[in-house]
């Protein structure tokens, strides 16, 4: 059956600047995952989203994160993606959604200048987006300290584990603040994905676009 959204974006309790950016971007009706995830996420709960590419999952975690970053000046966010391309796509979407907020960010991926990343990191970014290997490199070098990061999103968890990033991801998650809000998005959920989420989330709310999927 066709999913009928309950909300429009204007119904969400999002900061005016985000509402303006949504309007400018032409986002009026939330996608199913956004419609279900955003209200829950705005209460501060951990969210698991079972949704694949093209579902609007990026804005589903980015909007609640940005809202918190704007309203709580001490908050910091890290977003982990399996590939450089996905990390860059997430950055582009966030750049548009965060326009005019003054929030600073850094993208930490392989194959791009370490020097630029180190420079951006020295400016104390509020948003870090990257791939597991490069994020771990920066943690090990002491150039990225995650103790004060209280918002974390893992995108395409299943793919990240398939690519062999379990140890890197576990190490990164162990470094972020215990008091935090976590977002896990995955196209599929198997035992490996489930175990990682169970270890690093607290009473998460699960939203599944495909309830019949394994
Ligand atoms: P994603 O699944 O996050 O990669 O998003 C897929 C595409 O849909 C991207 O190009 C988004 O810019 C676009 N998009 C996401 N949410 C909406 C929405 N509520 N209305 C219109 N377009 C959207």
């Amino acid at each position: 059956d066709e999913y009928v959204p309950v909300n429009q974006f204007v119904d969400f309790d999002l900061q005016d600047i985000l509402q303006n950016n949504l309007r400018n971007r032409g986002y009026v009706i939330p996608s199913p995952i956004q419609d279900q995830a955003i209200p829950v996420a705005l209460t501060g709960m951990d969210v698991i989203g079972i949704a694949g590419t093209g579902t609007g999952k990026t804005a589903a975690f980015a909007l609640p994160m940005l809202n918190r970053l704007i309203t709580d000046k001490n908050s910091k966010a890290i977003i982990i993606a399996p590939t450089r391309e996905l990390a860059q796509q997430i950055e582009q979407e966030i750049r548009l959604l965060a326009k005019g907020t003054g929030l600073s960010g850094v993208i930490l991926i392989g194959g791009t200048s370490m020097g630029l990343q180190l420079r951006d990191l020295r400016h104390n970014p509020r948003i870090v987006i990257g791939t597991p290997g490069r994020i771990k490199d920066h943690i090990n070098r002491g150039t990225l300290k995650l103790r004060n990061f209280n918002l974390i999103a893992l995108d395409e968890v299943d793919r990240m584990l398939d690519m062999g990033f379990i140890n890197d991801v576990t190490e990164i998650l162990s470094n972020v603040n215990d008091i935090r809000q976590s977002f896990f998005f995955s196209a599929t959920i198997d035992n490996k994905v489930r175990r990682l989420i169970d270890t690093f989330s607290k009473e998460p709310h699960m939203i599944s676009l495909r309830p019949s999927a394994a």
Side-chain angles (χ1 to χ4, degrees), residues 129-142:
I129 303 169
T131 46
R134 186 55 71 98
I135 291 171
K136 210 192 84 178
D137 277 359
H138 280 287
I139 294 174
N140 292 342
R141 287 166 163 245

Side-chain angles (χ1 to χ4, degrees), residues 53-85:
T53 48
T55 57
K57 63 189 164 72
T58 315
F61 61 79
L63 285 168
M65 280 181 142
L66 289 170
N67 201 66
R68 178 78 187 276
L69 289 165
I70 296 167
T71 55
D72 172 5
K73 304 279 181 253
N74 292 319
S75 59
K76 291 184 180 192
I78 179 160
I79 299 162
I80 312 170
T83 64
R84 298 169 192 181
E85 293 71 26

Side-chain angles (χ1 to χ4, degrees), residues 10-77:
V10 289
D11 299 322
F12 294 138
D13 191 13
L14 293 166
Q15 292 290 299
D16 288 347
I17 192 155
L18 296 177
Q19 291 286 6
N20 282 334
N21 291 342
L22 285 165
R23 197 162 45 242
N24 291 336
R25 189 127 170 66
Y27 287 16
V28 178
I29 308 292
S31 70
I33 192 77
Q34 293 164 353
D35 192 45
Q36 297 170 83
I38 292 171
V40 174
L42 287 173
T43 71
M45 284 184 76
D46 285 0
V47 172
I48 304 171
I50 307 303
T53 48
T55 57
K57 63 189 164 72
T58 315
F61 61 79
L63 285 168
M65 280 181 142
L66 289 170
N67 201 66
R68 178 78 187 276
L69 289 165
I70 296 167
T71 55
D72 172 5
K73 304 279 181 253
N74 292 319
S75 59
K76 291 184 180 192

